[in-house]
Amino acid sequence: MTTNNALPQMNYKDFETYLQNYPNDEGFFGPYGGSFIPDQLQPAMKEITQAYQEICQSSQFINELRRIRREFQGRPTPVYHCERLSKLFGSTQIYLKREDLNHTGAHKLNHCMGEGLLAKFLGKKKIIAETGAGQHGVALATAAAYFGLECDIYMGEIDVAKQHPNVVRMEMLGARVISVKTGQRTLKDAVDAAFVAYMNEYKDAIYCIGSVVGPHPFPMMVRDFQYVVGEEAKDQFVQMTGHLPNAICAAVGGGSNSMGLFGAFLKEPVEIYGVEPMGIGEGRGENAASITFGRPGIVHGFNSIALLDDDGNPSPVYSIASGLDYPSVGPEHAFLHDVGRVNYKYVTDDEAMTAFFLLCREEGIIPAIESSHGLAYAIKYAKEHKHGTILVNLSGRGDKDIDYVYEKYGTGEDLLAKHLL
Ligand SMILES: *Cc1c(COP(=O)(O)O)cnc(C)c1O
């Protein structure tokens, strides 16, 4: 576990003006964040930062984004009380923020629509991005279609073959999927190819990142676009119950759905838990628990906590949830860890899958495997605490996962019989 002892510990009372003051003008959250990219790209990033800082104050931009969220995305998404699931584990009550009911079935559209609207306001013609499993690509292709923008999605050749349904979705939505045939032909090579394309095309195009990662201003911008999740959830929860939840939690890959939920609660007396994927074990390459096992280092243009090999390169990572297998984490999470405001926990593949099947059977909701990690921790919390309330961000629906899950776990009888949670 990496703790930066130089940072003073902060409790909820220290977060009253946090969102206005973090990150600083250079994009730092304490020692984490910043922009470590080739000089040729700095002007493009500056342009995005300046434009965003102006536009996010403009009432025209804010009102348009609100209208899109309401009329196109179907927001607000509800908060739901899992009465039957909660009963299995004592008297702690588990609640879900239903981001699986957002258009396209996950939270990623929240920042893709924001980035698309920014592109439109900047007069850009095209949006460029990479995708791994294809979820970010599909959300971005959706935004591009909505705004009438061209969309180039870079994807490793191996992922193109593995994620065929998402490739078809992106193409149906009018995006161009560019198969990257260099290196390992997976996500890292797609990131490199997308950056090169952006360097050549930045006058007409904008790069759109898929989480609270990458160089400044992306961690800040994506966080701000996801803030709506926690803002809605806090109001809804208080309206339903008359008080704040005792705890909130969410799965952490790059960290966008979790930052979205956490943002509005940082200044409240609420325990906050980020949940990392422990995969199949603690060995190198067996998990993607970046904060749990990582150390400070620079990857993909920003300083954070990362899983690095002895040469300082990103380690291979694994999780059953393809949206969580990232070797680092957004810089704001590294900061919130070091100052002690957010607690980072982990759950294994099998624990997450147990939560997956429990939610299917007890509540009639098939969750994404990513989101099942957050839910698995909520169940552990419920068992340990025996009272109170915990609110989980159910970041996405599981339709994308069912073929794979069925092949590996059937309908879950064997797993549920083990009582892992
Ligand atoms: C991509 C994805 C995640 C992980 O990304 P974060 O940036 O950590 O939120 C989680 N849940 C779902 C459903 C996803 O598609």
Side-chain angles (χ1 to χ4, degrees):
M1 184 90 70
T2 351
T3 300
N4 191 328
N5 290 320
L7 295 181
Q9 297 297 287
M10 290 165 74
N11 73 24
Y12 72 92
K13 292 178 189 144
D14 301 314
F15 282 83
E16 208 51 59
T17 57
Y18 168 82
L19 291 171
Q20 293 92 291
N21 297 328
Y22 288 83
N24 70 10
D25 290 343
E26 281 76 50
F28 282 95
F29 303 86
Y32 301 115
S35 179
F36 300 86
I37 53 175
D39 283 344
Q40 304 116 278
L41 264 184
Q42 290 291 7
M45 288 299 157
K46 271 220 176 82
E47 185 198 358
I48 299 180
T49 307
Q50 275 168 3
Y52 174 68
Q53 260 152 2
E54 260 172 50
I55 280 168
C56 73
Q57 318 268 1
S58 109
S59 55
Q60 202 194 349
F61 183 85
I62 293 167
N63 289 337
E64 182 61 2
L65 195 55
R66 283 199 183 129
R67 189 189 64 76
I68 290 168
R69 285 172 175 166
R70 192 175 59 241
E71 295 176 4
F72 181 65
Q73 290 183 235
R75 304 203 68 90
T77 57
V79 163
Y80 171 68
H81 179 194
C82 296
E83 284 185 57
R84 282 172 45 80
L85 181 70
S86 303
K87 246 189 214 128
L88 295 180
F89 302 103
S91 51
T92 306
Q93 300 304 307
I94 299 171
Y95 291 77
L96 307 176
K97 175 60 172 166
R98 298 286 310 272
E99 286 305 293
D100 60 316
L101 296 177
N102 200 21
H103 177 45
T104 72
H107 73 288
K108 283 194 176 77
L109 196 66
N110 297 331
H111 61 253
C112 288
M113 293 308 286
E115 289 174 318
L117 187 61
L118 180 66
K120 202 77 186 166
F121 268 63
L122 282 171
K124 303 288 185 189
K125 294 189 181 64
K126 186 194 271 190
I127 48 187
I128 295 177
E130 76 289 329
T131 194
Q135 296 304 110
H136 175 52
V138 170
L140 205 59
T142 303
Y146 179 92
F147 291 108
L149 296 162
E150 287 173 51
C151 182
D152 283 357
I153 303 289
Y154 291 80
M155 192 169 184
E157 191 177 31
I158 294 194
D159 292 329
V160 168
K162 256 169 63 179
Q163 306 291 344
H164 182 69
N166 276 342
V167 175
V168 172
R169 281 188 193 104
M170 286 184 267
E171 291 181 344
M172 282 187 174
L173 291 161
R176 199 154 67 104
V177 179
I178 297 147
S179 173
V180 177
K181 300 178 166 60
T182 50
Q184 304 287 306
R185 296 174 291 150
T186 59
L187 180 62
K188 184 190 168 300
D189 313 289
V191 174
D192 294 341
F195 256 77
V196 169
Y198 181 51
M199 258 191 294
N200 294 327
E201 301 182 56
Y202 79 85
K203 291 222 156 52
D204 292 322
I206 187 170
Y207 182 71
C208 291
I209 222 149
S211 188
V212 287
V213 297
H216 181 60
F218 288 110
M220 170 182 76
M221 221 163 74
V222 172
R223 170 195 75 183
D224 293 353
F225 289 141
Q226 289 291 348
Y227 183 79
V228 64
V229 174
E231 191 181 36
E232 285 175 6
K234 192 163 92 177
D235 283 353
Q236 290 166 319
F237 192 93
V238 171
Q239 209 148 61
M240 279 171 89
T241 66
H243 52 76
L244 289 165
N246 296 94
I248 61 172
C249 74
V252 179
S256 65
N257 86 84
S258 46
M259 271 321 303
L261 182 68
F262 298 172
F265 289 94
L266 289 168
K267 63 179 163 76
E268 307 292 349
V270 168
E271 295 168 51
I272 306 182
Y273 296 93
V275 187
E276 298 201 300
M278 188 47 79
I280 51 170
E282 300 191 359
R284 186 174 277 177
E286 292 181 340
N287 63 73
S290 311
I291 291 184
T292 306
F293 295 124
R295 58 188 164 92
I298 294 170
V299 291
H300 300 154
F302 65 104
N303 186 37
S304 186
I305 297 175
L307 294 166
L308 302 170
D309 66 19
D310 297 335
D311 300 327
N313 296 314
S315 294
V317 285
Y318 162 80
S319 165
I320 188 171
S322 53
L324 300 181
D325 62 353
Y326 185 64
S328 183
V329 70
E332 193 164 13
H333 282 286
F335 177 73
L336 292 171
H337 167 262
D338 283 8
V339 300
R341 178 64 187 100
V342 177
N343 307 290
Y344 290 86
K345 304 285 183 181
Y346 52 77
V347 307
T348 65
D349 279 4
D350 284 354
E351 288 170 336
M353 288 313 305
T354 303
F356 173 101
F357 287 117
L358 284 169
L359 196 69
C360 292
R361 286 171 187 226
E362 299 301 321
E363 302 291 350
I365 298 169
I366 302 178
I369 305 179
E370 289 81 1
S371 323
S372 304
H373 284 70
L375 183 66
Y377 178 72
I379 292 173
K380 287 188 184 188
Y381 178 97
K383 287 178 80 169
E384 273 166 30
H385 288 75
K386 302 199 168 58
H387 61 86
T389 53
I390 183 162
L391 170 66
V392 189
N393 193 4
L394 199 77
S395 53
R397 66 177 178 227
D399 303 49
K400 66 183 179 58
D401 298 319
I402 54 173
D403 289 343
Y404 175 79
V405 168
Y406 187 70
E407 202 174 289
K408 196 156 176 210
Y409 294 92
T411 48
E413 278 79 9
D414 291 352
L415 197 54
L416 290 173
K418 289 188 196 157
H419 294 284
L420 292 173
L421 285 172

